[in-house]
């Protein structure tokens, strides 16, 4: 009777078909190291070895610089836009309530006051659009947003 040989699992990782066994080392002074770290931070890579390999073999990488003040501006602009939409919603509700709960004469008087506030809101909106265009132009001058996007 033949006995079946038991295979024992030795554990560990499975061997790679193409292991990376060649390693290189280089030394940098403080100035070179600071410059290297700034390039690495701006590159967006998580592993320094990947960054170095791509630099050596000429693969391109994209450096994106984020200006915190412009990010804050964008966040505030987004919040302001949401408030603007809420005002538009409240405006529609107010007009409906005026027509349903007040007499014609009283509703017209209140609508006139609402119209004056709307004119101010439109002027504010035009200023916001102008500021946004200036913001976008300053980004394009810095080369952050390309013209084809």
């Amino acid at each position: 009777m033949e006995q079946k040989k038991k295979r024992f699992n030795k554990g560990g990782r499975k061997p790679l078909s193409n292991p990376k066994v060649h390693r290189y080392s280089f030394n940098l002074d403080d100035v070179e190291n600071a410059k290297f770290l700034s390039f690495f931070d701006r590159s967006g890579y998580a592993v320094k070895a990947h960054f170095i390999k791509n630099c050596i073999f000429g693969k391109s990488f994209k450096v994106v610089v984020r200006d915190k003040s412009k990010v804050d501006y964008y966040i505030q602009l987004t919040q302001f836009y949401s408030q603007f939409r809420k005002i538009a919603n409240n405006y529609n509700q107010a007009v409906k309530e005026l027509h349903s709960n007040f007499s014609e004469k009283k509703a017209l008087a209140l609508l006139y006051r609402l119209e004056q506030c709307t004119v101010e809101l439109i002027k504010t909106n035009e200023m916001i659009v102008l500021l946004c265009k200036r913001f976008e132009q300053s980004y394009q001058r810095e080369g952050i947003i390309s013209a084809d996007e």
Side-chain angles (χ1 to χ4, degrees):
M1 200 183 226
E2 285 184 41
Q3 287 185 339
K4 292 183 181 177
K5 291 184 181 180
K6 288 188 179 180
R7 293 185 187 176
F8 291 103
N9 186 0
K10 293 182 183 180
R13 294 183 182 180
K14 294 179 182 177
L16 295 174
S17 62
N18 186 11
K20 296 178 177 152
V21 295
H22 304 287
R23 288 169 178 73
Y24 296 93
S25 173
F26 60 94
N27 300 322
L28 302 173
D29 63 12
D30 290 337
V31 175
E32 292 171 335
N33 187 48
K35 193 172 181 180
F36 168 75
L37 290 176
S38 71
F39 285 145
F40 173 70
D41 289 338
R42 292 186 348 205
S43 70
Y45 283 97
V47 181
K48 290 179 187 171
H50 295 164
F51 171 69
I52 294 169
K53 266 184 16 181
N54 286 336
C55 287
I56 291 172
F57 293 117
K59 293 182 182 176
S60 64
F61 56 90
K62 189 175 186 180
V63 175
V64 177
V65 179
R66 291 189 180 158
D67 187 1
K68 181 151 175 43
S69 64
K70 292 182 180 177
V71 172
D72 291 340
Y73 176 82
Y74 177 75
I75 290 171
Q76 290 176 353
L77 184 65
T78 304
Q79 290 173 348
F80 191 75
Y81 179 72
S82 68
Q83 289 176 355
F84 194 80
R85 289 186 59 186
K86 289 176 185 177
I87 290 172
N89 188 16
N90 290 343
Y91 182 87
N92 288 338
Q93 291 176 358
V95 170
K96 286 180 185 177
E97 290 298 319
L98 284 176
H99 282 295
S100 64
N101 293 333
F102 292 99
S103 66
E104 185 85 19
K105 188 175 181 180
K106 181 75 173 176
L108 286 175
L110 292 173
L111 280 173
Y112 177 75
R113 286 181 32 199
L114 187 61
E115 184 181 3
Q116 297 304 316
C117 293
T118 304
V119 169
E120 289 180 32
L121 194 60
I122 289 171
K123 288 178 185 177
T124 305
N125 189 30
E126 289 172 353
M127 289 174 52
I128 292 169
V129 170
L130 180 66
L131 287 173
C132 289
K133 287 181 181 177
R134 286 183 189 166
F135 178 73
E136 187 176 306
Q137 288 173 352
S138 71
Y139 247 45
Q140 286 178 345
R141 265 187 260 122
E142 293 174 7
I144 304 296
I145 300 174
S146 63
D148 57 348
E149 287 183 355

